[in-house]
Each structure stands twice: as structure tokens, then as C-alpha cells.
Amino acid sequence: MKILVTGGLGFIGSHTVVELQNEGFEVIAIDNLSNSSIDVLEGIFNITGKKPIFEKLDLREKSMVQDFFSRHNDVVGVIHFAASKAVGESVENPLLYYENNINSLVYLLQELTKLPQAHFIFSSSCTVYGQAEKMPITEDAPVQTAISPYGNTKQIGEEIITDVAKVTNVNSILLRYFNPIGAHSSAEIGELPIGTPQNLVPFITQTAMGLRKELSVFGKDYPTSDGTAIRDYIHVVDLAKAHVVALKRLLNKENSEKVETFNLGTGTGSSVLEVINTFEKVSKQKLNYKIVGRREGDITEAYANTDKANDVLGWKAQSSLEEALASAWKWEQKIRR
Ligand code: UD1
């Protein structure tokens, strides 16, 4: 069965290609390489013994999307990762984000609606909940007005898919990720942030590697046990596996609604200081960090209630924070060699 993975050479995309190939799916990966490297194909090959079919394609070019589907009308499922994801950049350049994250989605769905039936998995984010009132966060927690254009593209994306489902044969699963971290245990693929990392874990590993002088901890005055903000850090391989499970659910017609939503997290919240301490323990490195003011737009805490994913999808995150951080560290050491 042929599966299209958009953004297939990116961080979560590449790990998902591996899991799909491990499960016997034939994968076509497309990517515009704006935030990824062609070398990722080699990493995927080294793990699975197979390269996916690859096409460099920019989903903002409608005619190219049409052309792609005219050549690959036997695609039975699409996992859509291709999107921009830097919150700060989206505030600076909202139109880039609306064009990249929304136009692409529309062009893809336009082609999918021409197929007799389509199965679609969408990369959403826990950012849609904003600062939720209750922890852990369930899927029925209200979606709150987005703080950034990036967050808004995830909300609008979910709405577009829901509207389309009402009048077409597209069946979809929206996956709301908490904080994906780590790398494949082989260290053949991992996260490749361009420029200064905005996310905590790549900043930590680059600091430990000596590429950054020190890590700034954004805020120690949050109403949490140690004053630093709390997130639900999930190993990217666990996350990737959830996509395969979700896809199979659609392919086997086990979905109970045309659009289903699942939180993907571990269910455990960790503070920034806990992440730092755990990293120091698993890497045996002393991390240079200082406490600074809060980062604008950050929330106090977010961690998932994973009951729905556990019970309905039958998926549960397996890796600990230690394992995820150790894999991120192994990857960082490998790419700087
Ligand atoms: C961020 C985005 C989120 C997006 C996700 C994608 C913001 C406000 N949110 O999530 O919308 O879906 O990335 O990966 O940008 N931290 C530090 N020092 C650093 C970096 C981070 O203390 O140098 C702290 C943050 O304040 C936060 C935690 O570490 O408390 C995690 O930060 P990060 O990895 O950027 O993820 P989010 O902010 O949760």
C-alpha cells in the first residue's frame, strides 16, 4: 500500500517513514528541503535497508501537487507533516505561515477529494489548547484563540479538514502532539534545526556540545513546584509509531467518525529544570545555564491526558524522558563528529 508522507525528510516525518517501512508500507516522501536535508534518505536507508521514493516538491505550487497526484493516483493514505513551525518567525512573517501551512493543505485536500476515498493524518499541536484550565489536557478541552500565526494555522487546518469531511470521502485523524524530542536509537536520523534552535532539547544538546555558550531558562516564577514551566516531552519514535497506528485505523475503517482527534503525549509533565537535571544525568555533562525572564507567549504547563489514544487507538508512549534525552544526545554527538 502506497503512502504519501509530506515533509518526509523532516524531524517527525523521517521517523515516521522508518516506522511505515518497518511495517511494510511503500512510502513516497515529498519535501521542499526548506528545513531538511537530502542526506536523511541515507539515514532512513541505513535503518530500514530501503529508501522511500523521494520527490522534491513544494506543496505551495498547486500545479505541481496536481501533477503529483496524476502520476500517483494509487496513493491510499497521506500523512501531512510539511509545514513551518517556528512560532517567533510566524509572528514576524504571518503570510509566509498562512501560505505555507494553509495553501498546501488546501491543495492537498483538493486532490484527495478527487479520489474514491482518502485517508488523511494531520500534524496538529497541543498549542491549540493554549493554557488549558485543567491538567492533564483531554481532547475535549476548549480550543483557545491562538497566540501566534503558527498556532492559528494548526487551528484553521483542523477546521478545514473538519469542513471537508462533511461533504467528501476524506476520512481524517488529527494528531495533537505535545513536545516531540529525541532521535532514532541508531542515531541515523534526528532533529536538524537550522540556525539557533528555538526548542529546549536541541538548545540543551548544542550547549552541552559547546556550540552555544549557555542555555537560558525562560522564567523561574511560574506557579509550578520549581518555578519553571512544565511540558510533556515525548520521544519522536513513539510519536512516529502513533502515526502508523492511526493510519491503519483509517485503512481498516475502524474510525468511528470521519474526523477523530487524539492527543499524543506521555501523560507526564516535566519542568525545564527536571529536563536539565535528567539530561545532565544521562549525558554525564554539566550544563551551563542561567535563569532569565519568561519568553513571550509561553504557557505555564501542558501535559496530555492520553486515555483516548491509549484506549481507542491502542497506542501508548513507551520511552522515558531519560531514553529520549539520551537519544538526542547520541544524535547531537554523531552529527558534530
Ligand atoms: C513550542 C511552541 C509550540 C510548538 C512547538 C513546536 C512556543 C511558545 N511554542 O512549544 O507552539 O508547537 O514549540 O516544536 O514557542 N525553554 C527554555 N529555554 C530555551 C528554550 C525553551 O527555557 O532556550 C523552555 C520554554 O520556555 C518552555 C520549554 O522550555 O517552557 C519548552 O520549550 P520549547 O521546546 O520551545 O517548546 P514549547 O514552547 O512548549
Side-chain angles (χ1 to χ4, degrees), residues 125-321:
S125 167
C126 69
T127 195
V128 301
Y129 299 117
Q131 178 58 73
E133 256 174 48
K134 273 187 273 165
M135 292 297 134
I137 304 173
T138 54
E139 287 81 354
D140 54 15
V143 167
Q144 298 201 47
T145 308
I147 298 169
S148 69
Y150 159 75
N152 208 19
T153 65
K154 293 297 173 191
Q155 295 191 9
I156 296 169
E158 290 194 355
E159 287 169 6
I160 291 172
I161 292 163
T162 307
D163 287 342
V164 169
K166 287 177 193 152
V167 289
T168 69
N169 275 331
V170 182
N171 283 259
S172 301
I173 293 185
L174 314 175
L175 297 176
R176 293 177 175 163
Y177 314 149
F178 282 67
N179 289 56
I181 61 164
H184 195 268
S185 58
S186 63
E188 290 289 345
I189 54 172
E191 197 168 1
L192 281 170
I194 291 178
T196 310
Q198 306 300 313
N199 295 116
L200 178 63
V201 172
F203 206 105
I204 287 178
T205 55
Q206 288 196 10
T207 307
M209 209 61 205
L211 276 96
R212 313 267 156 214
K213 204 166 99 279
E214 64 186 353
L215 167 77
S216 295
V217 173
F218 298 138
K220 204 178 177 299
D221 58 349
Y222 284 103
T224 61
S225 56
D226 63 20
T228 63
I230 289 175
R231 299 287 185 275
D232 183 340
Y233 297 92
I234 173 169
H235 197 303
V236 64
V237 173
D238 278 329
L239 196 64
K241 288 181 174 161
H243 289 76
V244 181
V245 174
L247 178 72
K248 285 184 176 171
R249 180 173 171 83
L250 291 180
L251 293 173
N252 295 335
K253 312 217 174 308
E254 290 162 355
N255 50 315
S256 55
E257 289 166 277
K258 286 187 80 178
V259 182
E260 293 180 319
T261 305
F262 295 97
N263 283 342
L264 296 181
T266 65
T268 303
S270 305
S271 73
V272 177
L273 288 180
E274 279 167 350
V275 173
I276 292 172
N277 293 337
T278 308
F279 177 80
E280 288 185 330
K281 195 177 91 191
V282 299
S283 67
K284 301 185 178 63
Q285 302 289 312
K286 188 89 200 86
L287 198 72
N288 197 19
Y289 70 89
K290 67 166 182 220
I291 310 288
V292 301
R294 292 183 181 192
R295 179 171 69 180
E296 204 187 317
D298 272 356
I299 53 168
T300 302
E301 62 176 345
Y303 54 97
N305 178 314
T306 61
D307 290 351
K308 189 175 174 197
N310 299 164
D311 300 344
V312 180
L313 270 187
W315 164 92
K316 198 172 176 18
Q318 300 295 328
S319 296
S320 62
L321 182 63

Side-chain angles (χ1 to χ4, degrees), residues 56-58 61-69 71:
K56 182 167 186 265
L57 195 149
D58 196 316
E61 293 186 50
K62 185 172 176 166
S63 59
M64 303 301 282
V65 181
Q66 290 171 330
D67 171 68
F68 176 89
F69 278 94
R71 288 181 289 110

Side-chain angles (χ1 to χ4, degrees), residues 64-91:
M64 303 301 282
V65 181
Q66 290 171 330
D67 171 68
F68 176 89
F69 278 94
S70 70
R71 288 181 289 110
H72 296 287
N73 55 10
D74 52 346
V75 163
V76 297
V78 177
I79 307 185
H80 179 44
F81 293 104
S84 303
K85 59 167 188 176
V87 176
E89 184 186 47
S90 80
V91 175

